[in-house]
Amino acid sequence: MQPDSRVSILLVDDQPENLVALEAVLEDLGQNLVTATSGREALRRLLDEEFAVILLDVKMPEMDGFETAALIRERTRSAHTPIVFLTAYSKQEAYVSRAYSVGAVDYVFKPFDPEVLRAKVSAFVEMAKKTRQLQEETAQRREAEEQVRHLNADLERRVTERTAELEKANRALRREITERERAERERQRLLELEQTARARAEAVQQRLLFLGQASAILASSLDYATTLARVAELAVPYLADFCIVDLVTPEGEIRRATSTHADPRKNALLNRLQEEYIPLLDSPQPAARVLRTGRSELVERVDETWLRNAALDEAHLEIMRDLGPHSYLVVPLEARGHKLGVITLGTCDAGHTYTQEDLGLAEDLARRAAAAIDNARLFHEVEEAGRRKDEFLAMLAHELRNPLAAISSAAYSLEQGGAADPHRSSRLQSIISRQTHHLSRLVDDLLDVSRITQGRVDLRMGRVNLAQAIAGAVETTRPLIESRQQVLSLELPEGEIPLRADPTRLEQVLSNLLNNAAKYTDPGGRIWLDATVTDEAPTPPVEPQPTTEAGMPVRSTPRRGVAIRVRDTGVGIPTELQARIFDLFTQSSRSLDRAQGGLGIGLSLVKALVEKHGGTISVSSEGHGAGSEFTVHLPLDDAAEPFEESLGTSAGERPGREPPRETHPERRTAAPGKRRVLVVDDNVDAAQTLAELLELWGHEVHVALDGPDALEAARDYRPDVVLLDIGLPTLDGYQVARRLRAGAANGAGGEHPSAEVADPCVSNAGNPRQGAKTGRAPSGAATAAPRRAPSTPGHKPAPETQKNPDVPLLVALSGYGQPEDRRRSLEAGFHHHLTKPVDPNHLKQLLENGG
């Protein structure tokens, strides 16, 4: 048989797709590929022919790979045929041992490297070819020896005649011996190739096992400091003699996370490095350089020159010499595009030099470690956000319960006779008014935060004088400052300081800063507010540079700015808190008594509003008890432009402030004085208290508790003003307003506006809610007409109701005060939209002025 003749390879797997894959991998070998889908079929194949190697799957039905291998070894013909197990079943040592015990020459895990498998099979194929060739050559040699024996017999009889032939046979024998020696050398070479391939496969398996153990350790805990220490202990001594892990702090500094050495006596040297020579980002040390570049470094041979370049001083050089690194690896820790730190690996064995393969393994380890660190940090950030959310909810409950408790107590005192004492009644009413205003401010701030975080705040920009904004903020904060007996000092430049800003929002920024200073400054403390004009305007966090049509940057004229500082002698801000003092729900100190109050959202609002004005804000404090200083930088408005107001309702309006009024020409106007007012609210207490307030002002009042009652009362009572809640059952306030307008427009001949929702089976006498809705008729007010039966098709109202009335003044009352709610109110036909709780003075003025 020629050396290049084909041999057969048996592929055994119960999955056809696996057989196809194996055939594709081994096709290039050019040998006979024989497949079998079960152990029994494989045994039948072995009866028909011999195979150079058998690739055998472990997990098969009926007869698994181990049983099949045992039966193969029992047959003399196949007792020595190489068997390679291919399996994805288990990597446990017991299964590997069992495979070798039944005669396997290798145990390969799926998925496998096609090149490695092809190399292994190729080695067995070559060995089979050579073995077959050797067998044939051995047979030839035996035949030749037989011929020699015959020749020797002939030589004994014919020594003289056959001398020449004997010499010729001896030469042939020598040639045969030479060929046999050559075949033996080739067989030895093939054996060495097989051993090399097996060693390489075992090395790959060990590396995969190492990475698997590292992954398990990294996934075992969210405490990345402890986890990294365990990973370092795993890397030493498998991959290195010493391992150092450095991490980057949020402040951009390098911090030693862990270090370990295979020689416990040299851990002291690593500790000295940690205590005395933590690398700086701009230092020449390898860890700092890798952090700057993001590229791994491999030093195959560490020499004296390399040590001197990496050392910071002579003492540092001496420590590195004592460590004695022979080869060096430094790889970055990166996750989601962020540089988290570096891993440094070193070997002190002169016989072990790092290769590119070692660098790849280290980078794989670093990627897994970086992912674990990033996941741990994200988890802790989520935990911190949840903790801050819980603290905020607790603060919110506290801040809401305090005013509600005061309101409840004051109301109860009035109910128990406190109203009889004018002085006491006035004091209790002041408490209720003050606490109600406080609740409104809390709700306003919460709505502001919601709108800003959703990007729904539009500023009403115009030319604003800074001094006027400061005066408004001081006036807003003055009651708190005076109540705490604090001293406020103002220092402003002479002349006008023009800003392009939203005056309401600018005043809100300044008053929040003053309010924050007052809350966190002890009674009798001092607060300073000063402003300084600067030559440079602030640079917003994100400000795209304008370009021309050709794509060239536009050269803008330099603008000046103003720096507004608010300082205090208060409790100060810890250094670790200053970086996140503007985060939502963050406060400098939280105590059970909540002496400072607030929800921790004021500074977050300030930062968002300042940045929307194109400005910046910063904070500085020397720590506890040293006070704090907030600095706002805003650009000046050097162009002499008049104040501009946006038409309609701006999304930046504060809840409770009225948008520009929209009037309707068809609205009935009435002379100032006594009004006929229809109050519609499904909250009985709210409706009755508002009715009592209106009666105190001398108006006639009728109360309805739902939409259908409101429509019927409007037809019979004919009010001048309708104070209409939006969130009503059955028919909401928008629907009621539209039907009131539709009824006024249709006039006589139209159906009763409440016909489609009234229940014809319920009469006035049988409706227990009727008394509650119209129950108390205020003194001097007209008693509500009985509720009429609903209209039926073809039915027309009585002649006296067919008169087309004018549209009354429609005022929406709602707890919803966002711009979209105001727009919907105007579209539904309301003349005004008032947010609950309604300012009594504003409502009184609206009624007195006729809307």
Side-chain angles (χ1 to χ4, degrees):
M1 184 176 182
Q2 298 301 322
D4 60 344
S5 60
R6 296 159 62 92
V7 297
S8 298
I9 302 171
L10 180 58
L11 312 178
V12 185
D13 198 306
D14 62 314
Q15 299 295 328
E17 59 270 24
N18 292 342
L19 293 174
V20 172
L22 288 173
E23 287 177 336
V25 171
L26 303 177
E27 184 179 13
D28 293 341
L29 298 180
Q31 306 303 317
N32 296 324
L33 302 179
V34 180
T35 61
T37 59
S38 67
R40 298 185 185 280
E41 185 179 357
L43 295 174
R44 287 197 296 271
R45 297 286 188 187
L46 287 167
L47 294 175
D48 299 330
E49 57 182 312
E50 294 182 359
F51 294 92
V53 62
I54 301 173
L55 302 184
L56 182 58
D57 185 27
V58 173
K59 186 67 174 179
M60 294 188 298
E62 296 183 0
M63 181 187 299
D64 62 16
F66 297 138
E67 296 172 344
T68 304
L71 292 175
I72 291 174
R73 288 288 180 254
E74 290 177 2
R75 300 186 179 187
T76 305
R77 186 176 181 182
S78 58
H80 301 288
T81 302
I83 299 175
V84 177
F85 280 109
L86 300 176
T87 180
Y89 180 56
S90 175
K91 298 183 180 180
Q92 295 182 9
E93 195 67 25
Y95 290 93
V96 177
S97 300
R98 184 180 177 188
Y100 286 117
S101 69
V102 297
V105 298
D106 207 347
Y107 193 89
V108 179
F109 296 108
K110 299 177 183 178
F112 52 78
D113 187 335
E115 294 297 329
V116 172
L117 181 63
R118 191 181 295 114
K120 290 184 177 183
V121 174
S122 177
F124 289 119
V125 167
E126 291 298 320
M127 186 170 64
K129 287 182 178 180
K130 297 304 178 183
T131 300
R132 181 180 295 180
Q133 182 180 353
L134 183 61
Q135 290 174 350
E136 293 181 356
E137 291 173 353
T138 301
Q140 292 175 2
R141 184 181 60 79
R142 288 175 180 173
E143 183 179 356
E145 289 177 349
E146 185 67 23
Q147 292 176 359
V148 169
R149 283 193 296 271
H150 287 293
L151 287 173
N152 288 334
D154 291 339
L155 283 174
E156 289 178 358
R157 293 189 301 269
R158 301 171 62 186
V159 174
T160 303
E161 297 86 343
R162 300 295 182 186
T163 301
E165 295 180 3
L166 182 59
E167 291 176 354
K168 182 178 180 180
N170 287 334
R171 287 194 298 272
L173 182 59
R174 285 194 294 271
R175 285 195 300 271
E176 179 184 350
I177 293 172
T178 301
E179 184 64 23
R180 180 177 178 183
E181 291 175 348
R182 187 192 64 78
E184 182 64 23
R185 289 194 299 271
E186 183 66 17
R187 187 181 72 85
Q188 187 63 32
R189 188 182 67 83
L190 292 176
L191 287 175
E192 291 176 355
L193 288 177
E194 178 194 358
Q195 292 172 355
T196 301
R198 177 174 295 181
R200 185 177 298 127
E202 290 176 353
V204 171
Q205 183 177 350
Q206 289 295 324
R207 290 172 183 267
L208 292 176
L209 179 61
F210 168 74
L211 290 175
Q213 292 175 342
S215 298
I217 291 174
L218 291 169
S220 63
S221 172
L222 288 171
D223 181 4
Y224 63 85
T226 303
T227 302
L228 287 178
R230 293 180 61 191
V231 170
E233 293 172 357
L234 179 66
V236 176
Y238 175 80
L239 192 59
D241 290 320
F242 64 87
C243 175
I244 301 172
V245 182
D246 295 313
L247 298 181
V248 180
T249 66
E251 293 76 23
E253 300 176 351
I254 300 178
R255 177 179 61 82
R256 181 65 42 83
T258 186
S259 61
T260 185
H261 200 290
D263 185 353
R265 295 172 298 177
K266 292 190 176 182
N267 277 322
L269 296 175
L270 295 179
N271 292 335
R272 281 192 62 191
L273 288 178
Q274 178 175 348
E275 295 170 359
E276 302 175 15
Y277 296 101
I278 292 295
L280 302 176
L281 281 176
D282 57 351
S283 70
Q285 293 175 269
R289 188 166 55 249
V290 168
L291 271 176
R292 292 195 300 270
T293 63
R295 296 190 298 271
S296 302
E297 290 191 6
L298 165 62
V299 182
E300 296 181 358
R301 179 71 173 87
V302 175
D303 54 19
E304 181 68 17
T305 302
W306 187 90
L307 289 175
R308 287 189 173 276
N309 290 335
L312 297 178
D313 54 33
E314 287 299 323
H316 190 200
L317 177 61
E318 191 62 30
I319 295 175
M320 295 180 67
R321 284 173 179 164
D322 291 342
L323 282 175
H326 170 72
S327 194
Y328 218 69
L329 279 177
V330 186
V331 294
L333 292 167
E334 292 189 10
R336 296 187 298 120
H338 300 293
K339 297 176 182 177
L340 306 179
V342 292
I343 295 181
T344 302
L345 300 168
T347 175
C348 303
D349 183 3
H352 183 191
T353 299
Y354 283 132
T355 64
Q356 290 295 327
E357 189 174 359
D358 295 321
L359 178 61
L361 178 61
E363 288 178 337
D364 200 344
L365 174 65
R367 280 191 294 270
R368 300 176 189 222
I373 295 172
D374 189 51
N375 289 338
R377 287 184 174 177
L378 289 175
F379 175 78
H380 290 306
E381 288 176 4
V382 170
E383 266 195 338
E384 175 65 15
R387 183 187 63 79
R388 288 168 55 195
K389 179 203 69 174
D390 293 340
E391 289 181 353
F392 165 72
L393 292 176
M395 286 188 292
L396 178 60
H398 179 279
E399 292 300 313
L400 291 177
R401 287 189 180 115
N402 275 348
L404 287 174
I407 293 172
S408 176
S409 298
Y412 184 78
S413 297
L414 289 172
E415 184 180 307
Q416 296 298 314
D421 183 352
H423 176 72
R424 185 177 185 184
S425 175
S426 175
R427 181 169 55 83
L428 294 174
Q429 290 172 6
S430 297
I431 291 174
I432 293 174
S433 176
R434 185 165 57 254
Q435 296 301 324
T436 302
H437 178 69
H438 178 61
L439 283 174
S440 298
R441 286 289 301 273
L442 289 177
V443 174
D444 289 350
D445 284 346
L446 289 172
L447 292 175
D448 275 345
V449 168
S450 174
R451 283 193 291 269
I452 288 175
T453 54
Q454 296 176 28
R456 295 171 52 194
V457 173
D458 296 328
L459 301 181
R460 302 177 61 193
M461 304 295 285
R463 190 176 177 86
V464 178
N465 185 359
L466 177 60
Q468 294 178 351
I470 290 176
V474 170
E475 189 62 27
T476 300
T477 320
R478 186 180 302 279
L480 175 60
I481 295 175
E482 291 180 350
S483 67
R484 297 175 67 84
Q485 300 178 349
Q486 295 163 343
V487 178
L488 172 62
S489 300
L490 301 178
E491 184 176 346
L492 304 177
E494 296 182 359
E496 180 184 6
I497 305 177
L499 302 175
R500 185 160 189 79
D502 182 325
T504 301
R505 293 302 186 178
L506 179 58
E507 181 180 326
Q508 183 182 0
V509 167
L510 299 174
S511 62
N512 275 10
L513 289 176
L514 288 173
N515 188 67
N516 183 76
K519 286 195 302 181
Y520 288 97
T521 299
D522 292 335
R526 297 203 60 178
I527 302 171
W528 293 267
L529 188 154
D530 61 74
T532 305
V533 176
T534 62
D535 292 333
E536 295 183 0
T539 301
V542 179
E543 184 176 355
Q545 185 178 8
T547 58
T548 63
E549 294 182 358
M552 299 298 293
V554 176
R555 292 187 178 181
S556 57
T557 304
R559 296 179 60 192
R560 297 183 302 157
V562 61
I564 308 167
R565 294 190 306 165
V566 177
R567 295 180 293 134
D568 60 64
T569 59
V571 297
I573 304 173
T575 303
E576 65 274 9
L577 186 63
Q578 293 179 25
R580 52 188 180 89
I581 193 65
F582 296 106
D583 293 348
L584 204 57
F585 312 141
T586 299
Q587 288 184 298
S588 177
S589 61
R590 296 185 177 95
S591 57
L592 189 60
D593 59 4
R594 301 280 302 126
Q596 286 81 23
L599 298 175
I601 60 180
L603 292 179
S604 178
L605 282 173
V606 167
K607 182 175 185 291
L609 292 174
V610 168
E611 290 179 352
K612 287 188 73 68
H613 280 83
T616 61
I617 184 170
S618 59
V619 62
S620 63
S621 175
E622 295 183 1
H624 181 71
S628 57
E629 178 179 310
F630 290 85
T631 304
V632 175
H633 288 269
L634 294 173
L636 288 179
D637 185 10
D638 295 329
E641 299 178 3
F643 181 88
E644 297 180 5
E645 279 193 342
S646 302
L647 296 178
T649 303
S650 167
E653 290 182 299
R654 289 185 62 85
R657 296 181 182 266
E658 287 303 305
R661 297 179 180 179
E662 179 176 326
T663 59
H664 297 265
E666 80 279 13
R667 177 170 61 83
R668 179 175 70 245
T669 58
K674 186 176 182 180
R675 305 276 184 202
R676 296 169 62 86
V677 183
L678 174 60
V679 175
V680 186
D681 197 322
D682 62 324
N683 186 310
V684 177
D685 288 342
Q688 290 183 352
T689 53
L690 181 57
E692 291 177 359
L693 179 62
L694 295 172
E695 290 174 10
L696 288 175
W697 293 342
H699 301 295
E700 292 184 6
V701 185
H702 186 88
V703 175
L705 299 182
D706 59 20
D709 273 355
L711 293 173
E712 186 172 352
R715 182 194 63 188
D716 298 329
Y717 183 57
R718 298 197 61 215
D720 301 314
V721 181
V722 179
L723 302 179
L724 181 56
D725 183 30
I726 296 297
L728 295 173
T730 310
L731 293 176
D732 62 34
Y734 299 130
Q735 294 172 301
V736 173
R738 290 190 182 97
R739 296 193 183 192
L740 286 175
R741 284 187 170 275
N746 291 336
E751 282 192 345
H752 190 282
S754 63
E756 64 186 72
V757 296
D759 186 354
C761 300
V762 179
S763 66
N764 294 335
N767 186 355
R769 296 179 58 202
Q770 185 66 22
K773 296 173 184 175
T774 60
R776 50 179 299 280
S779 59
T783 304
R787 184 171 179 176
R788 300 182 179 182
S791 301
T792 55
H795 172 76
K796 294 183 179 180
E800 65 271 17
T801 64
Q802 295 179 1
K803 181 180 179 181
N804 184 12
D806 291 335
V807 178
L809 176 67
L810 298 179
V811 180
L813 301 179
S814 177
Y816 302 100
Q818 299 197 31
E820 176 65 17
D821 304 311
R822 299 173 183 273
R823 183 188 62 77
R824 289 186 62 190
S825 295
L826 294 176
E827 290 178 353
F830 284 99
H831 303 95
H832 296 279
H833 183 109
L834 302 182
T835 306
K836 295 179 179 179
V838 177
D839 183 355
N841 294 326
H842 181 71
L843 177 59
K844 185 176 183 181
Q845 183 180 9
L846 186 148
L847 295 176
E848 290 177 351
N849 294 336

